[in-house]
Amino acid sequence: MIDSVAVIGGGTMGNGIAHVCAQRGLGVHMVDISSEALEKGLATIDRNMERQVKKDRMSSQEKEEALGRIRTFTDPAEAVQGVHLAVEAIPERAELKYELFGTLDREAAPEVILASNTSSISITEIAARTSRPEKVIGMHFMNPVPVMKLVEVIRGLATDDATTETVMELSRTLGKTPVEVNDYPGFVSNRVLMPMINEAVFALMEGVAEVEAIDTVMKLGMNHPMGPLALADLIGLDTCLNILEVLHRELGDDRYRPCPLLRKYVAAGWLGRKSGRGFHSYQD
Ligand code: CAA
Ligand code: NAD
């Protein structure tokens, strides 16, 4: 049974994963190379748990206990000592993940499961950088993690049944519904979602409609909870671009080519909510 985890990366996804693990009683080692990101991550967890307290979904005491289960680290090698599973949530760049998994493999005890929250990168290729490919798996949470019910569980070519079952069980313990899929670029979630977001950016670039109009058409017309451009801002435009690059490169099909306007926004540092500006503005 998994009762302690290391969450590597305390950004948009990492702090959400740490939040749900601590809320469900697990010990959490939250690690980020940036102390500022750790401070911001903890403040976000505090704020999101406070929403739950205000809605009577958690008592103040439960909130304090959950926060007390989170310890912070700046060194992944130190953070994986004494845990049963590590889940990685660092930026969507293959070379960063390969290097980190090499470190985690060297430093964590041999029985520790190494999971990745990657949105699109091959689990098989990440696993090949370790000496325990049977214990490497995709554990793909959705944003915002405390709200979204899905965990997409991705088996690499060598992932074994015991690892898959442990991660499916852990997802249920966290109140999520796990769905198992195979290892192909973007898995199911982003193979289907990202072309829609990319097409919305093309529609904006080509002047088909303004930002608000595109989002409103998809919200009111398709009953999506938020429009595709607002969703891209929630995900992070850098993350969307990185996912599209993986789909384009790995599937070799031009229908996944990232829209030049998306590239331009990322180049300008307009990354969406996390930078205060994307297709929409988040100054407040
Ligand atoms: N953390 C914790 N709770 C949050 C939250 C957050 N960041 N944001 C919203 N909530 C909670 C609110 O407290 C509220 O809770 P209750 O229903 O219990 O009252 C609930 O979520 C709804 O929030 P709001 O009423 O404030 O706002 P909303 O109704 O507009 O919902 C939303 C916000 C949940 C984000 C909704 O707009 C939504 O579902 N959007 C789509 C999200 C989505 O598609 N996510 C997947 C992204 S793709 C991905 O994650 C994979 C990838 O690899 C890129
Ligand atoms: P983010 O940019 O918000 O956060 C990444 C964090 O990782 C940063 O705080 C950064 O300082 C830290 N970091 C970088 N290198 C590190 C290292 N070597 N060790 C420890 N920390 C390090 O990114 P995010 O949106 O949280 O995405 C993280 C992962 O989750 C990506 O693989 C992404 O594709 C995936 N994902 C994102 C979403 C989303 O909606 N944003 C949804 C599902 C999955």
Side-chain angles (χ1 to χ4, degrees):
M1 201 188 94
I2 305 285
D3 58 25
S4 58
V5 296
V7 180
I8 324 284
T12 309
M13 295 304 287
N15 75 62
I17 298 168
H19 173 142
V20 294
C21 290
Q23 187 184 343
R24 299 286 169 149
L26 277 69
V28 178
H29 292 181
M30 184 166 84
V31 51
D32 200 293
I33 43 171
S34 150
S35 329
E36 201 189 324
L38 281 175
E39 269 173 44
K40 211 171 145 197
L42 278 178
T44 303
I45 296 172
D46 190 300
R47 198 172 55 246
N48 283 334
M49 284 188 179
E50 193 53 37
R51 293 181 199 233
Q52 292 171 293
V53 171
K54 290 222 169 77
K55 286 177 177 159
D56 282 334
R57 305 229 163 96
M58 189 190 239
S59 69
S60 296
Q61 191 189 338
E62 282 164 344
K63 176 189 160 194
E64 290 316 313
E65 284 169 3
L67 289 174
R69 284 192 277 273
I70 303 175
R71 287 175 60 198
T72 56
F73 297 80
T74 50
D75 179 7
E78 206 187 319
V80 289
Q81 302 311 316
V83 300
H84 298 123
L85 178 144
V87 54
E88 164 275 316
I90 70 170
E92 187 71 350
R93 289 180 31 213
E95 72 283 3
L96 292 182
K97 297 203 192 274
Y98 296 160
E99 191 188 340
L100 177 68
F101 273 75
T103 305
L104 299 179
D105 186 43
R106 273 193 307 280
E107 303 294 339
E111 65 279 10
V112 173
I113 291 175
L114 303 180
S116 175
N117 186 52
T118 179
S119 298
S120 59
I121 295 167
S122 164
I123 299 300
T124 306
E125 287 193 35
I126 293 175
R129 266 65 184 187
T130 74
S131 62
R132 63 182 93 188
E134 71 287 355
K135 290 196 159 51
V136 176
I137 191 162
M139 190 175 189
H140 186 202
F141 291 86
M142 301 292 128
N143 181 11
V145 182
V147 180
M148 304 298 284
K149 288 285 171 218
L150 177 71
V151 176
E152 196 178 31
V153 175
I154 304 108
R155 287 184 79 126
L157 203 54
T159 310
D160 67 17
D161 290 345
T163 300
T164 308
E165 196 33 59
T166 303
V167 166
M168 301 284 284
E169 193 50 46
L170 174 61
S171 305
R172 290 185 200 104
T173 303
L174 298 178
K176 308 295 183 195
T177 303
V179 175
E180 194 185 317
V181 309
N182 285 320
D183 187 21
Y184 285 97
F187 322 123
V188 172
S189 53
N190 285 310
R191 177 91 176 250
V192 177
L193 176 66
M194 280 303 146
M196 182 191 73
I197 287 179
N198 202 33
E199 207 53 41
V201 187
F202 271 112
L204 178 66
M205 186 178 79
E206 290 168 12
V208 179
E210 297 295 328
V211 170
E212 284 301 340
I214 291 170
D215 275 351
T216 303
V217 165
M218 296 306 286
K219 266 174 67 174
L220 301 188
M222 319 301 158
N223 244 0
H224 289 191
M226 64 203 323
L229 300 172
L231 181 55
D233 282 351
L234 175 75
I235 292 167
L237 302 192
D238 51 341
T239 303
C240 292
L241 178 58
N242 288 335
I243 297 168
L244 282 160
E245 302 271 30
V246 171
L247 290 171
H248 190 208
R249 190 174 58 244
E250 302 293 325
L251 294 166
D253 190 329
D254 274 351
R255 76 181 128 151
Y256 302 109
R257 75 212 178 287
C259 178
L261 187 63
L262 179 63
R263 288 190 192 284
K264 198 189 267 192
Y265 272 59
V266 173
W270 295 3
L271 305 182
R273 287 196 191 197
K274 65 183 164 189
S275 70
R277 177 167 192 175
F279 295 111
H280 297 265
S281 188
Y282 302 89
Q283 300 312 330
D284 303 333

